[in-house]
Amino acid sequence: AQRVTQPEKLLSVFKGAPVELKCNYSYSGSPELFWYVQYSRQRLQLLLRHISRESIKGFTADLNKGETSFHLKKPFAQEEDSAMYYCALNRKAAGNKLTFGGGTRVLVKP
Amino acid sequence: GAGVSQSPSNKVTEKGKDVELRCDPISGHTALYWYRQSLGQGLEFLIYFQGNSAPDKSGLPSDRFSAERTGGSVSTLTIQRTQQEDSAVYLCASSIGQGEGNTIYFGEGSWLTVV
């Protein structure tokens, strides 16, 4: 069975400091990984996906199949990055049925 | 519409009552999903509709939960004989369809409180 683990429930960093949100997954097939973000009082929205290999709002994430990880990183955190972040796994063979991690709350302090 | 629309946005109900939650997906999206977001439980998959195929109900927690999608568009999630543990945010989402790279768009959720 597939599983997504986000070990940190809360990350508190100062503005301008680097931030890294950890995500590990278990899945026997070829995974499709995503990061979703939920800002205060807003709906859950896609931040980035591994197949796009893009940087969104300064965030990047690299899929490491050897370590089964998809950690999210930003070199210089901003206060507006404060939000809830969810890592998600899509089993390609089963439609777009996402399995989410438990989420990490990021608090960026001024 | 501009996005996935859900109603009601907030619902307080008494234990034992039935509730219906509605979802209007983005126009043209053939795939529709229901998720539940509980405090301490993260996001839990409930049910998935794709076009005219039989829905994937594998995430429904009990037979008190059911969902339908009429005309391939609007969906209703029904919870019968609600229990306090059903209190959660119920999220609806839609996407263009199956396939790698399809972005899933979420609604703002329906906050259900069972007292």
Side-chain angles (χ1 to χ4, degrees):
Chain A
Q2 70 284 353
R3 186 180 179 89
V4 179
T5 303
Q6 294 179 247
E8 304 122 338
K9 290 191 180 300
L10 174 66
L11 274 180
S12 182
V13 300
F14 284 103
K15 176 182 174 181
V19 62
E20 179 179 27
L21 289 73
K22 290 184 168 49
C23 172
N24 288 90
Y25 66 91
S26 62
Y27 177 52
S28 58
S30 181
E32 187 177 10
L33 276 297
F34 302 82
W35 276 99
Y36 277 79
V37 60
Q38 190 169 28
Y39 300 103
S40 179
R41 304 183 189 282
Q42 294 188 27
R43 65 186 69 197
L44 195 61
Q45 58 186 284
L46 178 68
L47 179 61
L48 53 81
R49 57 168 68 94
H50 90 270
I51 60 171
S52 299
R53 293 183 169 273
E54 57 194 347
S55 174
I56 302 294
K57 299 184 179 182
F59 285 96
T60 58
D62 291 318
L63 177 61
N64 186 323
K65 291 186 178 180
E67 296 183 358
T68 59
S69 68
F70 188 56
H71 303 328
L72 182 69
K73 302 175 185 179
K74 184 169 182 176
F76 307 103
Q78 302 299 314
E79 290 182 67
E80 56 265 29
D81 297 327
S82 295
M84 194 74 179
Y85 292 80
Y86 293 94
C87 183
L89 166 70
N90 181 18
R91 295 178 296 157
K92 293 180 184 178
N96 281 355
K97 193 168 68 179
L98 294 174
T99 298
F100 286 89
T104 298
R105 181 168 298 282
V106 172
L107 176 62
V108 181
K109 297 177 287 188
Chain B
V4 177
S5 178
Q6 292 187 244
S7 61
S9 53
N10 284 285
K11 176 73 175 179
V12 179
T13 190
E14 291 181 351
K15 178 182 172 181
K17 300 282 190 184
D18 297 353
V19 295
E20 286 189 349
L21 307 176
R22 176 188 167 100
C23 173
D24 278 288
I26 294 173
S27 178
H29 281 194
T30 61
L32 186 147
Y33 318 78
W34 283 99
Y35 283 83
R36 180 168 69 175
Q37 189 174 27
S38 307
L39 189 63
Q41 296 294 321
L43 282 153
E44 175 188 12
F45 166 78
L46 297 178
I47 188 168
Y48 163 54
F49 296 89
Q50 171 54 50
N52 295 321
S53 303
D56 178 347
K57 304 179 181 180
S58 59
L60 294 178
S62 77
D63 58 9
R64 295 187 296 104
F65 288 73
S66 63
E68 62 178 21
R69 188 179 185 192
T70 54
S73 182
V74 172
S75 177
T76 302
L77 177 68
T78 301
I79 308 173
Q80 295 178 310
R81 304 181 302 281
T82 52
Q83 304 295 312
Q84 288 185 329
E85 61 263 28
D86 299 334
S87 296
V89 180
Y90 289 83
L91 295 174
C92 179
S94 70
S95 69
I96 290 174
Q98 278 189 312
E100 185 172 314
N102 278 331
T103 299
I104 296 177
Y105 296 87
F106 284 83
E108 294 186 327
S110 290
W111 290 70
L112 174 65
T113 303
V114 182
V115 297

